[in-house]
Amino acid sequence: MKKRHQQKLIVLSIGLLIAFNIPILLLFDSSAPLFGFPVIYIYIFSLWIISILVSLLVVNRYYE
């Protein structure tokens, strides 16, 4: 794997570490539901899906 792809994945990992940190998670902890789901669940699962898509994009560019 090229060095720049490794660096992109490391930056993604550090960003996710910050995004899943407790003080940031508590910003989205509200009792008001959004589309019938708690806001924190939508935040966690949307970050999870976005991280998968970004890592897939980085890895697929490596294999081209």
Side-chain angles (χ1 to χ4, degrees):
M1 185 176 288
K2 293 182 182 177
K3 187 73 169 174
R4 62 184 169 149
H5 296 297
Q6 289 177 351
Q7 291 172 350
K8 289 177 185 176
L9 291 175
I10 289 172
V11 168
L12 176 67
S13 299
I14 292 170
L16 287 173
L17 182 70
I18 292 169
F20 284 123
N21 203 353
I22 292 297
I24 305 296
L25 281 175
L26 290 179
L27 291 174
F28 296 96
D29 189 25
S30 68
S31 61
L34 183 66
F35 303 117
F37 297 105
V39 177
I40 193 164
Y41 290 167
I42 293 172
Y43 174 73
I44 289 172
F45 285 113
S46 63
L47 271 179
W48 181 44
I49 290 171
I50 290 170
S51 68
I52 290 171
L53 293 176
V54 169
S55 62
L56 180 70
L57 182 77
V58 169
V59 171
N60 279 344
R61 296 226 179 196
Y62 167 67
Y63 289 116
E64 287 182 350

